[in-house]
Amino acid sequence: MPVSAPTSLKLTPLAFAVGSVLFAHGVCAQQAASGSPETTLSEVRVLGTAEETLKQMTGVSIITSEDLEKRPPANDLAEILMTQPGVSLSGTSSVGAYGNQREIDLRGMGAENTMILVDGKPVNSRQGAITRRTGDRDTGGDSNWVPADQIERIEVIRGPAAARYGSGASGGVINIITKKPGGSLSGSVTTYLSKPEDSLEGNGTRRLGFNLSGPLAENLSFRLYGSAAKTDGDKPQINGTQLNATTGEVEPYWYAGREGRRNRDVNGLVHWDLTPDQVLEFEAGFSRQGNIYVGESSTLGPTGVMQEWADKGAETRRVYRQQAAITHRGKWGELGDSRITFQYENTRTINCRQGSSGMGEGNCSSGTSLQQSEQDNYFLSGELNTPLQLGGIDQMLTTGFEYRRQALADNNALLTTGQPDPLKQVELKNTTKAVFVEDNMAITDAFLLTPGLRLDHHSQFGTNWSPSLNAMYELGSGFTLKGGIARTFKAPNPYQTSPLYASGLGATCPYNGMGLDPDSYDCTVRGNPDLKPEISVNKEIGLAWDGPGGWDGSLTYFRNDYKNKVLAEALDDIADLDNPVDYEWVNAGKVLIHGWEGNLSIPLLGHNGSTLRLINNFTWMLKNHNKDTGQPVSIIPKYTLNSTLQWQATEQFSMQLTGTFYGRRKPRTVSYHGWPMIGDAVRERGAYALFGLNGTWEINKNHRVGFGISNLFDKEIKRAARLASANSPTDSSVPFEDRVVSTGAGAKTYNEPGRAYYVTYTASF
């Protein structure tokens, strides 16, 4: 059962921690006022905050606005994020997920353990999509709410440094920092156009965005940006054709490739300097994302509705997100600097669903059967950073709090006690209250120590402590030793815990390549209120080198040991085809994930490599498996190597040659209830490499042009299931060697796009 305490005692640890924080600040302020010799603030060495120091760990990487200008993503930041160490995308098994949906997966911990932030505020829209039996969601994640040309930088935070962010950050954090208004009126317009070489991959991406910012009055400024983008999906024939044994006609294979995407975004911010030391910001935004259907099917062929929707490029999933936030930042003299933020986020998700009994997979058999969810998230956080000196040690003490409330209503109400009612709303709610304290301590001029402690109280799972300890030691000659250890937790999501909710009631589930006949059965995945949180202990140690002449590099070993992994397990013998099979979310055994990350920058020409530089980073996974079953937790490459040859030909003109090398991906060999996978379901996906060429020309300070070629050598991967049926393909554009069975992942395909060309233009003033 979840941790439960008497009402009178339920918040005692939280109250104690809050009291301790307030008491510590009171003591520091009192000592500062009394001029205690031990805390004479005039002698304090002012350090960076604990958060700033943690972002210098080897498990952290930064993507700048200049990086995004030189290598712009077509329509989703995941395209550039996956070039960073430790970053993979979910759905990269032999087959992928419906419509090739892919989310960010940090260090193999799974997409559910990656937290997405925008300006330090959490984005939770993907949580309005149903959690599949495989642990995936019918969503592309939350990496596409901010247009690339409006981003100042992206912080990719992995390992122990992410512990301060609470539940959902066990794998790490992606923090997207937007551009802020300047002191003078400025603006820009950016266009982007890409065109794939293969006509079966659609017409590419068209994107238009604008930005306008500047002063409104003496102490008042604003920023406004907007964007509209469309990326075409693949044609239904992308994975080949088949001969219909009944009609004798050649028809699309109907196990489609990548879905298309439509995006609309608008966001406004007002910055008010109340006093020289007090700032207030108001922000509001609205976004719409639509998935363009391309013919995905869990059956052997499309229905009339599915074919019609694919032919006209209809949207089978739409997400509407709106948010509003207020942030105050203040400087309080010797007490330090503070920040407090409140955000409200509302997300409506509308899905076409399979049949009358749901599943919410964006897999359509009826144009009138829709799953709708509406989610309200409330977020309140604050922190105070106080410089002080205790025991002769200069320190920066950070104390803070958080409050999160999630309310999710879903009309895909598949009650475990009755038949589904499309008008019934299931209400799923939870709250989390937290306090945290971190202390950045200069033990010596060369040694920084950063202990931290976070206390979360979850309305369903009680109290969780997350201690952490990070350290940096300058060894000399440009070498710095960095390491850390932290305990993190992940609360199961509302779909997994609600006793009123079950996904896929009466729906068809594939046999996951187990070779049973028939190839599917009725199944239900039920919520389990007795789940425990996932607990992870994350460790890393690394050596960073800032060498002479522009050389730099790092090497990091990371290890995550965690338990209580949440997965869906069959409660019945799935060989019994006379009765539907019940699945339930359960806690699995212990999991081990460990490996190496590193980077190396090599100057080749010019001062410190300013003319020609080779930049590399890599990830090598040693283990990523459940200790009890030996099965992989995430289907990710054995290794990933990203290399960029950067040439600054002139002050205005630069080019990049990029290469990404992926190692093999080993699928699971055992499916649910211990049944072995067989045939193509256990085929490994081999190693491959993708190359690209990018160029940027700064015509003058107001005009910039970018151009490039992605997948330079046209390494196409089109993967589709080969059916063992009367309709087995006899006329196909895809060789058998490039086909793998896909029912194990809930989809029929995995596609990597071929060669494409792009051009982008920015005009600014």
Side-chain angles (χ1 to χ4, degrees):
M1 292 293 291
V3 176
S4 179
T7 304
S8 60
L9 298 177
K10 193 173 274 189
L11 294 180
T12 298
L14 186 63
F16 173 77
V18 171
S20 299
V21 169
L22 296 177
F23 175 76
H25 275 306
V27 169
C28 293
Q30 186 177 23
Q31 289 179 342
S34 64
S36 170
E38 189 172 281
T39 59
T40 303
L41 294 182
S42 60
E43 301 175 359
V44 171
R45 168 190 169 193
V46 180
L47 302 173
T49 66
E51 185 177 22
E52 291 168 344
T53 297
L54 292 176
K55 290 176 183 177
Q56 299 176 38
M57 301 300 289
T58 54
V60 177
S61 51
I62 306 295
I63 301 172
T64 66
S65 58
E66 184 181 15
D67 295 330
L68 294 169
E69 290 173 1
K70 291 183 175 180
R71 192 177 181 180
N75 196 24
D76 194 325
L77 294 177
E79 298 172 33
I80 189 71
L81 286 166
M82 64 187 296
T83 66
Q84 300 302 300
V87 181
S88 300
L89 297 183
S90 67
T92 56
S93 65
S94 300
V95 288
Y98 278 107
N100 285 246
Q101 298 285 2
R102 304 168 75 181
E103 297 184 67
I104 297 169
D105 181 347
L106 295 179
R107 286 185 173 173
M109 293 287 284
E112 290 289 295
N113 282 306
T114 299
M115 179 178 288
I116 308 293
L117 309 174
V118 174
D119 293 325
K121 302 182 288 290
V123 182
N124 298 300
S125 297
R126 59 185 164 149
Q127 296 181 13
I130 293 173
T131 306
R132 295 191 187 98
R133 178 173 49 102
T134 57
D136 298 320
R137 297 178 188 261
D138 182 38
T139 171
D142 283 320
S143 58
N144 201 24
W145 296 113
V146 181
D149 46 294
Q150 307 306 324
I151 294 173
E152 182 65 32
R153 69 183 185 277
I154 304 173
E155 301 165 346
V156 183
I157 305 170
R158 306 174 296 277
R164 77 184 316 266
Y165 298 95
S167 176
S170 297
V173 172
I174 306 293
N175 190 12
I176 302 167
I177 309 297
T178 62
K179 296 178 180 178
K180 299 300 185 286
S184 59
L185 184 64
S186 64
S188 66
V189 175
T190 297
T191 62
Y192 179 98
L193 175 66
S194 71
K195 178 68 175 179
E197 195 169 277
D198 188 345
S199 62
L200 292 178
E201 294 179 5
N203 292 316
T205 296
R206 283 84 69 200
R207 173 160 49 88
L208 176 66
F210 75 90
N211 174 287
L212 186 64
S213 68
L216 291 170
E218 183 178 356
N219 298 316
L220 201 64
S221 59
F222 80 101
R223 180 206 66 198
L224 177 67
Y225 70 73
S227 178
K230 180 185 178 183
T231 298
D232 280 348
D234 293 335
K235 302 294 184 183
Q237 300 89 346
I238 187 72
N239 287 311
T241 58
Q242 63 185 7
L243 181 66
N244 189 304
T246 303
T247 65
E249 297 180 356
V250 175
E251 60 186 23
Y253 203 49
W254 286 106
Y255 297 143
R258 298 168 302 128
E259 289 185 338
R261 188 80 61 87
R262 289 188 181 93
N263 295 80
R264 304 289 186 272
D265 303 280
V266 63
N267 182 280
L269 180 144
V270 175
H271 178 101
W272 184 11
D273 292 303
L274 300 170
T275 72
D277 294 328
Q278 306 290 315
V279 173
L280 197 60
E281 289 183 342
F282 303 89
E283 181 186 6
F286 174 81
S287 296
R288 176 197 184 279
Q289 292 183 5
N291 279 46
I292 302 173
Y293 187 58
V294 293
E296 186 71 83
S297 168
S298 65
T299 61
L300 300 184
T303 67
V305 170
M306 294 162 62
Q307 183 166 347
E308 178 186 347
W309 284 34
D311 288 343
K312 68 180 182 181
E315 294 180 352
T316 56
R317 184 173 68 90
R318 294 190 300 276
V319 180
Y320 300 90
R321 177 180 182 261
Q322 52 190 344
Q323 56 90 216
I326 302 175
T327 299
H328 177 272
R329 289 188 294 272
K331 298 180 179 180
W332 308 99
E334 295 177 343
L335 191 58
D337 299 343
S338 69
R339 175 196 54 77
I340 187 167
T341 297
F342 172 76
Q343 175 180 258
Y344 167 71
E345 178 189 43
N346 172 269
T347 303
R348 289 187 298 121
T349 302
I350 302 174
N351 256 3
C352 176
R353 62 185 179 182
Q354 172 69 28
S356 61
S357 57
M359 284 174 66
E361 300 280 13
N363 176 18
C364 301
S365 62
S366 169
T368 60
S369 181
L370 298 176
Q371 176 237 342
Q372 300 184 50
S373 69
E374 183 164 5
Q375 181 181 208
D376 292 310
N377 286 287
Y378 303 86
F379 174 73
L380 176 66
S381 74
E383 66 179 52
L384 179 65
N385 298 290
T386 304
L388 62 133
Q389 189 180 83
L390 293 174
I393 298 175
D394 295 321
Q395 303 174 51
M396 179 68 78
L397 179 68
T398 298
T399 50
F401 69 90
E402 275 188 9
Y403 172 83
R404 305 181 196 175
R405 181 176 184 271
Q406 180 184 39
L408 175 63
D410 193 331
N411 82 330
N412 199 38
L414 309 175
L415 304 181
T416 58
T417 57
Q419 294 300 312
D421 181 353
L423 301 180
K424 175 69 175 179
Q425 292 281 332
V426 173
E427 302 286 342
L428 310 170
K429 299 180 180 180
N430 63 71
T431 59
T432 302
K433 304 170 185 177
V435 292
F436 59 89
V437 58
E438 295 172 319
D439 196 7
N440 202 25
M441 308 166 63
I443 306 301
T444 69
D445 289 343
F447 184 28
L448 281 180
L449 190 66
T450 310
L453 181 64
R454 181 184 174 103
L455 170 65
D456 289 89
H457 184 85
H458 193 280
S459 57
Q460 290 179 269
F461 302 103
T463 300
N464 282 276
W465 296 87
S466 298
S468 63
L469 181 65
N470 292 272
M472 298 194 317
Y473 186 75
E474 295 182 7
L475 300 172
S477 301
F479 289 94
T480 304
L481 184 65
K482 305 180 181 184
I485 182 171
R487 181 185 188 271
T488 64
F489 88 104
K490 166 68 170 65
N493 66 57
Y495 287 113
Q496 294 171 331
T497 59
S498 173
L500 299 177
Y501 189 89
S503 64
L505 185 63
T508 298
C509 290
Y511 264 128
N512 300 290
M514 291 178 291
L516 301 180
D517 187 27
D519 66 355
S520 62
Y521 57 94
D522 287 343
C523 69
T524 301
V525 188
R526 303 178 185 275
N528 181 1
D530 296 329
L531 287 174
K532 299 176 182 178
E534 297 179 359
I535 302 297
S536 174
V537 179
N538 298 351
K539 295 154 286 218
E540 72 178 25
I541 185 167
L543 186 66
W545 177 49
D546 186 6
W551 288 79
D552 65 75
S554 70
L555 181 64
T556 302
Y557 170 75
F558 63 89
R559 178 181 174 120
N560 298 344
D561 294 89
Y562 80 105
K563 61 182 181 179
N564 299 335
K565 171 70 175 176
V566 176
L567 53 79
E569 181 63 80
L571 302 180
D572 312 296
D573 187 344
I574 59 176
D576 180 6
L577 305 179
D578 295 329
N579 298 300
V581 176
D582 282 338
Y583 287 82
E584 185 177 56
W585 293 106
V586 298
N587 292 113
K590 296 181 179 180
V591 172
L592 170 62
I593 296 174
H594 69 137
W596 294 89
E597 292 174 354
N599 69 275
L600 180 63
S601 182
I602 305 173
L604 299 174
L605 288 176
H607 179 67
N608 293 338
S610 57
T611 301
L612 189 66
R613 172 180 291 271
L614 181 62
I615 303 171
N616 309 274
N617 69 65
F618 80 93
T619 306
W620 187 282
M621 298 299 300
L622 299 175
K623 290 288 185 182
N624 170 32
H625 66 203
N626 185 304
K627 290 183 177 181
D628 295 333
T629 65
Q631 296 300 299
V633 178
S634 295
I635 311 300
I636 58 178
K638 180 66 175 178
Y639 64 84
T640 303
L641 171 64
N642 295 286
S643 294
T644 300
L645 183 63
Q646 190 169 284
W647 178 38
Q648 190 71 43
T650 68
E651 187 176 345
Q652 292 80 28
F653 183 75
S654 65
M655 292 197 71
Q656 293 185 123
L657 176 64
T658 63
T660 299
F661 305 83
Y662 296 108
R664 72 181 190 278
R665 292 177 173 92
K666 298 183 68 173
R668 297 178 177 93
T669 58
V670 176
S671 186
Y672 305 96
H673 212 62
W675 280 84
M677 306 280 279
I678 66 170
D680 286 344
V682 294
R683 286 180 57 198
E684 292 185 7
R685 182 168 163 220
Y688 67 96
L690 300 174
F691 295 88
L693 187 66
N694 311 292
T696 304
W697 179 27
E698 299 279 352
I699 301 173
N700 54 44
K701 67 177 182 179
N702 299 122
H703 301 275
R704 183 180 71 249
V705 174
F707 55 91
I709 307 173
S710 59
N711 199 345
L712 183 62
F713 299 111
D714 200 25
K715 174 63 176 179
E716 287 190 309
I717 297 179
K718 296 184 174 72
R719 302 239 167 178
R722 184 173 177 87
L723 301 179
S725 71
N727 283 352
S728 291
T730 58
D731 177 16
S732 173
S733 64
V734 183
F736 173 75
E737 290 75 15
D738 288 337
R739 299 177 182 276
V740 292
V741 74
S742 63
T743 51
K748 302 298 182 186
T749 65
Y750 175 78
N751 285 59
E752 192 80 69
R755 184 188 293 125
Y757 307 88
Y758 79 85
V759 62
T760 179
Y761 167 71
T762 298
S764 60
F765 67 91

